[in-house]
Amino acid sequence: MSTENLFPYAPGPGIAKFDPASPLPDHVKPTRRYLANLGLLLLPAQPFPPMPPKEGTEPGSLQPGQILLGIQGSLGLMDKDVTAFMPPNLTRLHPDKFSDEFFVERRLNGFNPGKLNKVQNKPWQYAVRYDCSKYQVEPAGILPKIIEARFCLNAQKLNVHSIEFTMNGKPTIQTPGDEEWEQTKRLFRCAEFVLQESQSHLARTHMNMDQYAMAYYRNVVNNPIKELLEPHLEGLININKLGASLIIGDKGFIPEASALEPASINDLIEEEIRHLTYRNWNPSVQKLPDFVANNYFDPAAIAMWELLTEYVDGFISHHRTGIEACWNEIQDMSKDLSSHAILKPELGKLDILGLEDLAQLCVYVIYISSFFHSWVNNKQYEDGGDVDYAVIGLWDSQSPHYDPVQVATREAKQASLLWTLSNVRYNPILEAGPGPLKDLIWARRDVISPGLPVEDIMMSINI
């Protein structure tokens, strides 16, 4: 069977992705080690495919139930308030998690990085703005149409200035010390949570990389670029196939736990993908133009991009003859990628016109699949594991549609799912990566680790 037939595109318009109704080809199915990693942390207990047999043993000799026994036992100790039994997260351990200073720090280094924008001719110098005006909210759901947090720069430090939001057609501005200030910060954290999950996490990493993975798997068979890219695509199609129902389906986590309607989640994801291209992009385009003392994301992201550029350039230089000899596979990959992309026309195409394009694409794919996904995925439980601090859905208790039992269930699902997503650490680069890449990361660990510990950078998007 040809590789194109093994990897069919999902039917219909929209983001290019593997057809979730088709079986996974054998070589992209999860490994025994991955299933063991997942099973040890799965909360709540979920059925998953039979464990592949170990060489020299009978099929089925190790069953999933054996792995999940301890987890199932722990679930029996929990009452309906699951969140009270969950392991502690960053905010629960923070001595003053509701302080304005901590609010600023999380905008710099939390699970939705790179959102601060420079502002001109205002009393504040930076702002983070979220626009949900085009999306539909469930009855009883609370989500502002637009919300913007403003920050002043003073002596290399950001301080929160104010938050402006529009709700029910009414614009409101709150500043520190105002009566509704704490509730306004909570409203901002909720809107950020929705956008983080749908845009930064699902769109920018999972679904964005799916289009590259599909073009790769359908066409690259003998080209040496396989050695460079494939380890960073392991598990992606499998987890996206599962996530189609677990995360964004009608009963998925985001539609269930947030106030947005399922169709609006899909609209948010597609809108983000339309703006994403590997060409002429690097993390420097979004870095803060001013030095901020506790801005750890920008230096870490730029260091990672620079070392990956060195790593990819070295690989392509070493394998150039073999890459050029099988260039027809890259041309076919390019045709698949560009013809199925939903990129805005004014941003060009995702085609691969030469070695320079191929190198830039590889740096981009490895950066998103390793560093950026590890950042936005691993940090989810830091904030989202504490429903008193941040929830993906806020609800009006005075609405006739309000259901307190349903809200408690949603919050329990948030905490337990984010624990799993943040703690499956399969194939860290410093363990599973090639020697040259491990050496480059280790040499830059002092720059990267203040934002994201280098031991937490995974090879691929596998959870």
Side-chain angles (χ1 to χ4, degrees), residues 75-292:
L75 286 172
L77 300 174
M78 298 181 185
D79 60 19
K80 63 181 180 180
D81 186 10
V82 175
T83 58
F85 288 81
M86 294 297 298
N89 72 330
L90 176 67
T91 60
R92 284 168 57 189
L93 298 175
H94 194 278
D96 194 2
K97 65 185 180 184
F98 295 118
S99 69
D100 291 349
E101 183 178 33
F102 189 63
F103 181 82
V104 174
E105 194 277 333
R106 300 315 290 163
R107 311 291 76 76
L108 290 165
N109 304 309
F111 65 0
N112 201 27
K115 300 299 181 181
L116 281 155
N117 294 305
K118 185 76 171 181
V119 176
Q120 303 293 336
N121 303 316
K122 296 287 186 180
W124 53 91
Q125 287 73 52
Y126 284 93
V128 179
R129 180 183 178 88
Y130 296 121
D131 185 351
C132 301
S133 59
K134 295 185 290 185
Y135 310 111
Q136 297 299 311
V137 176
E138 288 184 17
I142 298 174
L143 189 67
K145 292 291 185 182
I146 295 173
I147 190 163
E148 179 180 271
R150 292 95 173 247
F151 305 89
C152 295
L153 181 64
N154 182 21
Q156 301 180 349
K157 181 181 179 182
L158 288 179
N159 299 292
V160 63
H161 175 278
S162 59
I163 297 175
E164 180 174 3
F165 64 92
T166 300
M167 188 87 72
N168 301 321
K170 177 185 175 183
T172 302
I173 298 177
Q174 290 283 308
T175 59
D178 288 349
E179 183 177 357
E180 300 297 325
W181 176 240
E182 292 303 324
Q183 182 59 27
T184 300
K185 286 194 296 182
R186 183 170 176 80
L187 185 65
F188 181 89
R189 290 192 293 267
C190 177
E192 179 178 64
F193 206 155
V194 172
L195 274 294
Q196 186 273 344
E197 283 296 325
S198 57
Q199 290 185 328
S200 295
H201 185 198
L202 282 177
R204 187 172 288 269
T205 68
H206 284 260
M207 306 313 298
N208 183 24
M209 289 299 100
D210 210 329
Q211 60 183 335
Y212 291 92
M214 284 294 291
Y216 165 82
Y217 280 121
R218 285 167 58 86
N219 298 288
V220 177
V221 178
N222 299 307
N223 196 295
I225 209 70
K226 187 173 185 176
E227 181 185 341
L228 178 69
L229 278 182
E230 192 151 330
H232 299 284
L233 299 174
E234 184 190 341
L236 171 67
I237 290 180
N238 170 64
I239 200 65
N240 284 359
K241 179 179 166 74
L242 293 175
S245 58
L246 181 64
I247 304 296
I248 58 175
D250 287 348
K251 297 298 182 181
F253 163 62
I254 301 180
E256 281 278 284
S258 78
L260 284 180
E261 297 281 3
S264 288
I265 301 295
N266 292 328
D267 291 344
L268 269 168
I269 292 172
E270 286 202 14
E271 180 63 21
E272 181 74 1
I273 295 290
R274 293 183 191 280
H275 291 84
L276 301 179
T277 174
Y278 80 87
R279 182 170 277 111
N280 300 322
W281 185 92
N282 70 74
S284 294
V285 304
Q286 65 186 38
K287 75 180 183 70
L288 275 60
D290 300 298
F291 177 78
V292 176

